[in-house]
Amino acid sequence: EEESSSKSEDTILEGEVVASSEEGLVDNPALSSESKSKSVLDTHLSVPKGRINVGRFMYPKHHPSFFETPIFQPTSKGKFQLKQVLGSLNTQQPNEEETIVEKFAES
């Protein structure tokens, strides 16, 4: 019987991250309380051609060479694409006077 630790694999996502900025949704009703002359920029992040590789990490995370060759002889397990928009609505910091609304309750 094999040990479970010998079967465990580490997974790493690899790919080039592309970032761009575009004018945000200034016509959005949720932004109507802000000044109409204030321009809003959204940051668009994407990984158009990502790869999913598995193997065993060679070094501990704190080792200086960790990011040089993180996985020894990785095996490709697939591909992925990522698209994320970081806009003013989902990146703004809450004001101290705003109350936090709990969206989940313990069951």
Side-chain angles (χ1 to χ4, degrees):
E1 188 174 306
E2 290 185 43
E3 291 181 27
S4 61
S5 63
S6 66
K7 289 183 178 181
S8 67
E9 294 179 316
D10 297 313
T11 303
I12 191 167
L13 303 177
E14 296 180 347
E16 183 178 336
V17 177
V18 178
S20 63
S21 293
E22 294 181 14
E23 191 169 335
L25 300 173
V26 291
D27 293 334
N28 189 324
L31 298 174
S32 62
S33 63
E34 293 184 17
S35 171
K36 298 221 182 229
S37 63
K38 183 178 176 184
S39 65
V40 177
L41 287 180
D42 290 344
T43 301
H44 296 252
L45 299 176
S46 67
V47 179
K49 295 181 179 180
R51 297 170 306 283
I52 303 168
N53 293 328
V54 297
R56 292 296 301 157
F57 284 118
M58 293 182 58
Y59 301 106
K61 291 179 186 177
H62 62 276
H63 193 280
S65 297
F66 177 76
F67 290 104
E68 305 265 335
T69 310
I71 292 186
F72 179 70
Q73 296 180 341
T75 303
S76 178
K77 289 289 184 174
K79 298 176 182 180
F80 75 95
Q81 289 185 340
L82 170 87
K83 291 183 181 181
Q84 176 71 46
V85 177
L86 302 176
S88 61
L89 289 178
N90 60 359
T91 59
Q92 67 187 9
Q93 299 295 318
N95 294 334
E96 289 182 16
E97 32 190 74
E98 290 181 11
T99 58
I100 296 176
V101 177
E102 179 124 4
K103 295 184 180 181
F104 298 99
E106 291 184 26
S107 54

